[in-house]
Amino acid sequence: MVFRVWYFLRETLVSLWRNLSLTLAAILTVAISLSLVGSSLLIREGAERATAQFQEGVEFIVFMNADVLSEQDAAIRDVLGTSPAIAEYTYIDKAAAYQEFRELFSDKPELVESVTPDIMPPSYRIVPANPDADNVAELARQFGEQPGVKEVATATEAIRQIEDFSTRVSQALLFAAVVLVAVSAVLILNTVFTAIGARREEIEVMKLVGATNWFIRIPFMLEGTIHGLFGAAMAIPALFVVDNRVLAYFQESEAVPLFRGFAVPDGYVWNTSIWMLVIGAAIGMVGSAIAVTRYLDV
Amino acid sequence: MIRLEGVTKTYKGEVVALRDATAEIQRGEFVFLVGPSGSGKSTFLRLVNREELATAGTIMVAGKDVGTLSSWKVPYLRRSIGYVFQDYKLLPKKTVAENVAFALEVIGRPRPVIRRKVPAILDLVGLGRKSERFPEELSGGEQQRVSIARAFVNQPLILLADEPTGNLDQATSVGIMRLLDRINRSGTTVLMATHDRGIVDTMRRRVIELDRGVVVRDESRGVYE
Ligand SMILES: Nc1ncnc2c1ncn2[C@@H]1O[C@H](COP(=O)(O)OP(=O)(O)OP(=O)(O)O)[C@@H](O)[C@H]1O
Ligand SMILES: [Mg+2]
């Protein structure tokens, strides 16, 4: 088996080297398309984290004091339950708030450790009957004056812009990425096809002396997989650059209310990187598999 | 060792290359396949090797029905069959030794085995001292010896040779025939397609003659005619 591994590696490397310009083109295309895939995922994730509390029609959030009295809390709840201006609300208690906080900052354990459920403010996420900006502002002002209320955060224009921006950008990136992924698969297919063409004679001899089909195929599939993996590896640093940009964008926006993270945690970036390697390898394998099945005739 | 029963081979639905051919070749025999150009000699050999599938009839090789052999087993069938061509089919970028080693390498033989077998077989074919040459630095006869070494290095049961002397002069051909004869004497069944009257007539081995795809003659110790 050791001998075979050596054989496959040697054959694959020779072939990669022989086809250098096509190989580089294939790797670069994979790198570009995967950078786009990754960026799109990061931007979507970043925006989602920044605006997580304002999903599904929630227009403002009433944060209570951590040491709110139960009759103050009951009064707020009473208004929320009876007022025709409120369509719906969700109560986030201390435990739930703490849980969210932990998830959000899971890659910053020292921050999580500095916090206990005790000091988390419970809150109400509120869907108003009329989501008009003026109306929301007025409701927020009214709730802000109630005893026991610490702060009211509204889904400001900026938050809507983040959502809007992220949706549009990530969709555009994703579309470009899908096109480019297809292009890179075709390029890999072509490169492997060329590699097969360059070794017609060898393949003929191999078949003649009884090499198995897999033995003939593996170096070519390995070649395609290497294109995909190298491309993905090149896209990973690009991903970290984009991560910093996304972070900067959301941090500068100041649209983000209490305890919200605007950055994508490093863990998520690494996860995305692993996914990109997987996708890269998959593109390479699919491209080369199509090439060997179509052109190898073994 | 090789048995054809009522074998017909039709290419692309019109050209009949072999018509209802029946023949049986025993282990250890040396058989010449003769006949005019286009009579189906190469087709005969390719059917044995399962490079082609018969349109009708059965072909048994080493006890296996090659027509029904599942495709993943074909490589293993071919490991027991050496194949030699008129144009050698050597790899120009590999040395003599590498060309021979390649045949062992791609069927996964371990490197110590390769290192032992390659020089031995090159000695056998008389090229021990030219193992580091490239094919283009050799004469036709020498190239054919390399190709025979490659076909024989895995000690196949059967050696198929398609006009192995077709590109060689008389004297060189005699040398190649001596080599094939020697391989045959070691127990390998040899089936050789040829146009070379002189060789067939001097060797006096079994001759199967084809004419337009039909077996018209099959005699032991035959001549070319
Ligand atoms: N792959 C193919 N496709 C179509 N027709 C073929 C193919 N191979 C051979 N033939 C035809 O089948 C017939 C027999 O060919 P084959 O090559 O077996 O003859 P041969 O006896 O080896 O001839 P030669 O002495 O010239 O080598 C010929 O008419 C040939 O044109
Ligand atoms: Mg022929």
Side-chain angles (χ1 to χ4, degrees):
Chain A
M1 208 50 214
V2 178
F3 308 111
R4 296 190 186 204
V5 170
W6 166 244
Y7 168 87
F8 289 138
L9 284 180
R10 192 191 68 198
E11 294 301 302
T12 305
L13 286 178
V14 166
S15 192
L16 283 169
W17 185 249
R18 244 187 235 168
N19 261 320
L20 198 58
S21 57
L22 268 174
T23 298
L24 290 180
I27 289 176
L28 273 178
T29 321
V30 173
I32 293 169
S33 55
L34 287 183
S35 306
L36 294 185
V37 171
S39 307
S40 144
L41 290 174
L42 283 190
I43 289 173
R44 182 171 293 187
E45 179 71 12
E48 202 138 283
R49 279 167 184 267
T51 63
Q53 292 161 306
F54 294 98
Q55 304 293 320
E56 292 167 2
V58 172
E59 290 292 340
F60 66 104
I61 301 169
V62 176
F63 289 96
M64 309 304 288
N65 290 320
D67 55 355
V68 63
L69 302 174
S70 56
E71 60 263 34
Q72 293 172 336
D73 196 52
I76 295 286
R77 203 177 288 246
D78 191 45
V79 176
L80 287 173
T82 55
S83 167
I86 307 301
E88 218 179 289
Y89 72 92
T90 323
Y91 179 62
I92 309 294
D93 65 12
K94 282 169 181 283
Y98 179 68
Q99 193 55 39
E100 269 192 9
F101 184 86
R102 279 181 43 159
E103 278 167 21
L104 211 53
F105 294 102
S106 53
D107 64 324
K108 299 195 175 66
E110 67 288 349
L111 192 59
V112 173
E113 268 168 40
S114 70
V115 170
T116 59
D118 257 13
I119 66 164
M120 299 300 295
S123 61
Y124 294 93
R125 289 182 189 166
I126 298 161
V127 181
N130 172 8
D132 206 59
D134 291 343
N135 181 53
V136 171
E138 176 57 19
L139 283 170
R141 194 187 57 74
Q142 284 172 16
F143 276 100
E145 288 168 354
Q146 300 298 315
V149 172
K150 182 182 183 189
E151 189 183 335
V152 179
T154 55
T156 58
E157 194 57 26
I159 285 211
R160 294 292 164 237
Q161 274 173 5
I162 291 179
E163 284 180 342
D164 222 44
F165 164 85
S166 84
T167 315
R168 246 183 278 157
V169 171
S170 72
Q171 272 174 2
L173 287 184
L174 205 61
F175 176 75
V178 166
V179 172
L180 277 173
V181 163
V183 169
S184 41
V186 170
L187 241 157
I188 289 175
L189 188 153
N190 236 296
T191 312
V192 173
F193 172 54
T194 310
I196 292 172
R199 321 186 71 167
R200 284 241 168 274
E201 291 177 314
E202 273 167 69
I203 293 167
E204 192 188 349
V205 172
M206 288 168 90
K207 287 192 210 172
L208 205 65
V209 300
T212 60
N213 294 347
W214 280 111
F215 201 92
I216 299 175
R217 281 178 180 156
I218 282 174
F220 296 113
M221 301 210 36
L222 220 53
E223 189 172 342
T225 309
I226 285 177
H227 293 149
L229 280 176
F230 275 34
M234 281 174 69
I236 289 171
L239 204 58
F240 278 88
V241 172
V242 171
D243 175 38
N244 291 334
R245 296 290 146 131
V246 174
L247 180 131
Y249 178 84
F250 290 123
Q251 271 179 340
E252 282 159 18
S253 76
E254 281 187 11
V256 177
L258 227 56
F259 289 133
R260 280 300 114 181
F262 5 70
V264 177
D266 280 354
Y268 185 83
V269 185
W270 282 118
N271 267 344
T272 311
S273 304
I274 289 167
W275 273 109
M276 280 162 52
L277 287 172
V278 171
I279 296 172
I283 296 172
M285 279 195 240
V286 169
S288 53
I290 294 173
V292 290
T293 28
R294 277 201 57 183
Y295 302 112
L296 212 47
D297 182 32
V298 293
Chain B
M1 183 58 54
I2 301 172
R3 195 169 87 231
L4 278 74
E5 263 173 36
V7 173
T8 296
K9 173 65 188 177
T10 313
Y11 287 111
K12 297 186 194 101
E14 28 181 316
V15 186
V16 182
L18 221 50
R19 195 186 302 268
D20 196 22
T22 297
E24 179 155 10
I25 297 167
Q26 303 297 334
R27 172 184 289 263
E29 272 194 282
F30 194 120
V31 180
F32 285 118
L33 207 50
V34 301
S37 187
S39 58
K41 302 183 294 295
S42 298
T43 300
F44 192 116
L45 298 183
R46 284 204 295 271
L47 285 167
V48 172
N49 196 30
R50 207 193 192 245
E51 261 179 84
E52 299 284 354
L53 276 172
T55 315
T58 345
I59 302 165
M60 303 290 291
V61 176
K64 294 191 195 80
D65 183 341
V66 299
T68 60
L69 201 64
S70 49
S71 60
W72 69 269
K73 283 186 181 159
V74 171
Y76 300 95
L77 169 77
R78 291 194 185 151
R79 288 177 194 189
S80 60
I81 303 176
Y83 213 134
V84 175
F85 298 90
Q86 181 171 357
D87 58 357
Y88 327 127
K89 293 196 196 297
L90 299 176
L91 300 172
K93 286 184 189 136
K94 291 188 190 289
T95 64
V96 166
E98 285 167 351
N99 262 285
V100 177
F102 187 70
L104 294 173
E105 210 170 15
V106 300
I107 58 171
R109 302 302 301 271
R111 249 195 293 173
V113 171
I114 298 176
R115 239 176 281 160
R116 183 161 44 78
K117 284 195 158 194
V118 171
I121 194 83
L122 285 176
D123 281 340
L124 179 83
V125 301
L127 285 174
R129 305 171 74 196
K130 298 195 170 168
S131 63
E132 298 312 313
R133 300 269 192 102
F134 287 91
E136 62 174 19
E137 301 167 342
L138 301 177
S139 72
E142 288 169 332
Q143 290 189 51
Q144 191 58 291
R145 284 168 187 274
V146 178
S147 119
I148 291 170
R150 179 179 65 191
F152 193 58
V153 70
N154 197 34
Q155 276 141 350
L157 297 168
I158 299 168
L159 190 74
L160 303 178
D162 198 348
E163 306 189 30
T165 59
N167 285 347
L168 306 174
D169 62 32
Q170 196 57 39
T172 316
S173 298
V174 169
I176 294 295
M177 290 318 297
R178 280 215 188 98
L179 185 55
L180 290 180
D181 187 45
R182 191 162 161 198
I183 285 172
N184 174 243
R185 284 176 201 282
S186 76
T188 306
T189 310
V190 178
L191 179 56
M192 167 170 161
T194 185
H195 280 301
D196 198 321
R197 174 182 299 272
I199 285 172
V200 178
D201 289 349
T202 36
M203 299 258 307
R204 297 303 301 261
R205 298 299 185 100
R206 178 171 169 193
V207 173
I208 296 176
E209 183 177 346
L210 292 171
D211 187 13
R212 275 161 286 174
V214 179
V215 176
V216 293
R217 179 164 64 104
D218 184 348
E219 41 182 27
S220 53
R221 302 187 61 75
V223 291
Y224 190 86
E225 294 210 338

